[in-house]
Structure formats: structure tokens, C-alpha cells
Amino acid sequence: MTPTNWEDIVIEPFEVRIPESAVADLRERLRATRWPEPATVDDWGQGVPLEFARELCRYWAEDYDFGLAGRVNAFPGFKTAVEGLGIHFLHVRSPEPDATPLVLTHGWPGSVVEFLDVLGPLTDPAAHGGDPADAFHVVAPSLPGFGWSDKPTGTGWNVERIARAWDELMGKLGYERYAAQGGDWGAGVTNMLAKVAPERLIAIHVNMAGVPYDETKLGAPTAEEKAAIGDLLRFREVGSAYSQQQGTRPQTVGYGLNDSPAAQAAWIVEKFWEWTDNDGSPETALSWRQMLDAISVYWFTETATSSARIYWESKERDLSAIEVPSGISIFPREIIRPSKRWAELRYTDLRWYEVLSKGGHFAAFEQPEAFVGQLRGFFRSLR
């Protein structure tokens, strides 16, 4: 859907800025935190342990490198109106003229920060020891209400509308056909692109494949499938309260998260503990700086509430068949890990399926080399 009225398109350069006054305010709030008593268990079973939360916040206030803006601004950033909303995005064009256009979509509690370590290798493989034929032109937008995109002031920004907005954005940028990749909500947007713009999609790749298990078609699950189903059931029983809260009362939870950096940090770091491939504590999967970069995006943009609303907006999940060429990479600590035959129930033109030995829900953030390798391998297989 390439626009015809090019003179109406306004795409402005955009730079992230974090004022010193905002950093000073954060430090003051962190130092004044009113801490609760410790949990009555000595692990993460009741949530983030007090000792860990205090050290995380101490590090944020005293030792963290507040150069987040520079790390993001190292890549070309832009903002444009799409579907009437200001959308921020990174747009890194490859030096290879025949590179494949690719839209990368993050989820919650994510942001474009997750992709900073993969943008160089994806767009300029020759400079990173790869084959120039594997190059991509990468567009990485911030979801509506996330990061530096505008916050919707009305309802309706569900996954389908976001997918239509992304298709409009890619058209604005002059990409007639393109590929899409995502995890978490990014996988939902990517899957929806296959529904709303199948003729413009070269292929899709996801690292979180939501597919219901259908025993009438597959029979009894294998041992590996039983383990994946058991982990998913445990997630629903003890790990999904955040989703219920954000999906029903995002405004209420937002008051605390928007006011208290300690609350915001704990709300997100619990997911880094639960969803990364760590050795019992999240800093064995992501560095302190990586975790605090991710948390800082939410704090400095004040998007705890607006980002939570994607759960409220998208309660109805479309799990119908996806017919475009598809690739799936399964990381061992992902929330849902369908087998190949299970995945094929929904992804009817599945061209790539691999199970990796390391990594979790935040694939590009945790395992950038493996993530890049999966995308290169999948799209190479389509050529």
C-alpha cells in the first residue's frame, strides 16, 4: 500500500533526550524509597526479593551509566504520524542495495533497546564477519504507548490496528514488499501482518509462537510437548498475574509504577528473572546495564500505564491459520514452546523451525548472535 501523495508524508529525524533534571529526580526518588519488609520465603516465590530490589535500585541511582540516549541515538531515529498517532522508529538502511526490508517489533516489557546489538550485524553483515547477501534494511518501531511513540488518547489500538499502522509505515518508507519479525506482542503484530497485508509480506519470523495444542489432530503429546504444556500451565497459574492486572485495570497499576521507580524496576525485573535463561538470578542472563536500560525507557518516557493498555486492548487473540512463508525459532526458556508438528497447526507454510540450546523470551537481547543467525538462516533458505 505505497502512498500516492508523497508530498503529504512528513518523517522527522528524532533524537532521544534525557534531561539531567530527570536523572536527578530519579535518584532522589530511589534514595527516598520506602521499602517493605522481606518476603517470608528465601527465594523469588513471592516476587522480587528485597535484597535484590534494593541492590538494583542502589545501582540505578549510584552506578548506572545514564548514557541510554546516546546508545539509542547511535542509530538513525525518526518519528512520523501513522494512523493519526506519532510513531517513533529506528530506520537503519543497509549499505547493500538489495537488502531485504525487515520490520522488527518488540513486546512488553520491551522496547527498541532490545535490538541495539543486532542492528549492525543485520544491516551490515560484511562488517560483522557475515555474507553481504544476508543483509536487511531494518525498521524498528516503538509500539503505540511505548518508548518514544505517542500515547493513544482513545481506545482501539489493538494488535490489528498496530499491524495496519506498521504496513502503512513500511509503505511510507518506500518498501513495496518486506519481511517481519517479532516476539511477545511483537509476534502478535507480526502474525497479524500476515493477515492484513499478506500480499506485501515476503515472510515472517517469530520467536514466540502462540499455537493451541489440539489433541484431536495431534493425538497424545510427546514427552517434550508434555513438558512445554506443563510449563505453560505453570505460567498461567503463578506467572500471569501481571497480564491479568494490565488487561483489566491498567490505569490502577499505572499510578504506582509511574510514581515509584522502585516499583517500576521490580515490576519489570521480575520478568527478566522469570523469562530469561538465567542461573537463578537475572543478571546471569542480562547485565545490570541492560536491565536498567530497559527499565529506564519506561521510567523516563512515563509509559508504564500507556504500555499496559495493550493488554486491555487486545484481549481477543486471533489464533487463526497463518499462510505466508514462516520461520520459528524456539529458545529454551520461552513461555510457550510448540514442537514443529504442533506449530504447523497454525503456521501452514512453515519453512524454518529450530530449537536453540540457550536463551529465553528476550531473544535479541539475551542472545544477539543466535538471533541474527536465525534470521540470516531463515531468509537465506527462502532465496
Side-chain angles (χ1 to χ4, degrees), residues 153-321:
T153 57
T155 61
W157 278 96
N158 57 18
V159 164
E160 181 176 349
R161 187 172 180 185
I162 296 169
R164 293 188 186 280
W166 274 202
D167 186 52
E168 180 181 332
L169 174 63
M170 296 301 280
K172 278 190 172 192
L173 296 173
Y175 297 126
E176 292 282 353
R177 300 196 72 224
Y178 59 92
Q181 197 287 330
D184 194 82
W185 284 109
V189 172
T190 299
N191 292 332
M192 188 58 72
L193 276 166
K195 305 295 181 66
V196 303
E199 71 286 350
R200 287 177 24 86
L201 278 179
I202 298 166
I204 67 167
H205 178 277
V206 296
N207 52 278
M208 179 178 173
V211 186
Y213 191 89
D214 188 339
E215 197 161 327
T216 65
K217 294 179 179 178
L218 299 177
T222 65
E224 289 181 353
E225 290 166 344
K226 281 183 180 178
I229 292 168
D231 287 345
L232 182 58
L233 289 174
R234 278 190 292 277
F235 162 76
R236 289 172 176 167
E237 289 171 2
V238 302
S240 63
Y242 77 96
S243 178
Q244 293 294 319
Q245 179 67 37
Q246 296 191 155
T248 56
R249 298 291 187 271
Q251 190 70 22
T252 302
V253 72
Y255 294 114
L257 300 181
N258 197 64
D259 184 62
S260 167
Q264 180 69 94
W267 192 247
I268 291 177
V269 82
E270 180 191 287
K271 303 311 165 199
F272 290 150
W273 166 74
E274 193 164 21
W275 298 343
T276 61
D277 191 6
N278 63 69
D279 295 335
S281 196
E283 77 273 16
T284 61
L286 296 170
S287 69
W288 289 100
R289 199 199 77 182
Q290 282 180 300
M291 290 188 287
L292 287 167
D293 275 354
I295 293 164
S296 292
V297 172
Y298 285 79
W299 178 257
F300 289 117
T301 60
E302 299 186 41
T303 49
T305 314
S306 55
S307 64
R309 291 194 188 106
I310 196 171
Y311 289 82
W312 189 91
E313 291 281 5
S314 303
K315 294 190 192 76
E316 299 298 324
R317 308 290 170 88
D318 184 335
L319 296 174
S320 57

Side-chain angles (χ1 to χ4, degrees), residues 299-353:
W299 178 257
F300 289 117
T301 60
E302 299 186 41
T303 49
T305 314
S306 55
S307 64
R309 291 194 188 106
I310 196 171
Y311 289 82
W312 189 91
E313 291 281 5
S314 303
K315 294 190 192 76
E316 299 298 324
R317 308 290 170 88
D318 184 335
L319 296 174
S320 57
I322 292 167
E323 298 175 348
V324 304
S326 303
I328 296 173
S329 299
I330 303 291
F331 289 81
R333 287 295 299 274
E334 185 52 89
I335 295 168
I336 181 168
R337 305 184 307 278
S339 65
K340 187 171 187 287
R341 67 174 193 143
W342 177 359
E344 287 173 332
L345 292 177
R346 185 179 184 199
Y347 296 85
T348 61
D349 190 6
L350 187 62
R351 310 284 189 92
W352 178 273
Y353 177 92

Side-chain angles (χ1 to χ4, degrees), residues 21-233:
S21 58
V23 174
D25 174 73
L26 168 66
R27 286 177 163 145
E28 183 178 353
R29 289 169 184 262
L30 287 168
R31 291 163 181 162
T33 300
R34 187 174 70 171
W35 296 101
E37 72 283 357
T40 55
V41 295
D42 58 4
D43 57 19
W44 289 67
Q46 292 181 0
V48 183
L50 177 61
E51 183 178 353
F52 186 94
R54 294 191 75 142
E55 176 56 19
L56 179 67
C57 290
R58 186 210 63 77
Y59 189 97
W60 198 6
E62 311 301 340
D63 298 335
Y64 171 65
D65 173 6
F66 281 95
L68 171 63
R71 291 188 279 279
V72 178
N73 292 335
F75 301 95
F78 302 90
K79 202 162 185 181
T80 190
V82 186
E83 288 263 320
L85 192 73
I87 296 296
H88 163 262
F89 60 99
L90 302 180
H91 185 198
V92 188
R93 289 190 59 86
S94 173
E96 307 300 331
D98 296 327
T100 301
L102 174 69
V103 59
L104 278 181
T105 310
H106 66 83
W108 183 94
S111 68
V112 297
V113 165
E114 291 180 28
F115 302 131
L116 298 185
D117 287 342
V118 304
L119 292 174
L122 287 175
T123 56
D124 193 2
H128 294 82
D131 184 343
D134 292 331
F136 298 91
H137 299 304
V138 177
V139 179
S142 296
L143 288 166
F146 286 70
W148 297 280
S149 283
D150 289 356
K151 302 172 185 179
T153 57
T155 61
W157 278 96
N158 57 18
V159 164
E160 181 176 349
R161 187 172 180 185
I162 296 169
R164 293 188 186 280
W166 274 202
D167 186 52
E168 180 181 332
L169 174 63
M170 296 301 280
K172 278 190 172 192
L173 296 173
Y175 297 126
E176 292 282 353
R177 300 196 72 224
Y178 59 92
Q181 197 287 330
D184 194 82
W185 284 109
V189 172
T190 299
N191 292 332
M192 188 58 72
L193 276 166
K195 305 295 181 66
V196 303
E199 71 286 350
R200 287 177 24 86
L201 278 179
I202 298 166
I204 67 167
H205 178 277
V206 296
N207 52 278
M208 179 178 173
V211 186
Y213 191 89
D214 188 339
E215 197 161 327
T216 65
K217 294 179 179 178
L218 299 177
T222 65
E224 289 181 353
E225 290 166 344
K226 281 183 180 178
I229 292 168
D231 287 345
L232 182 58
L233 289 174

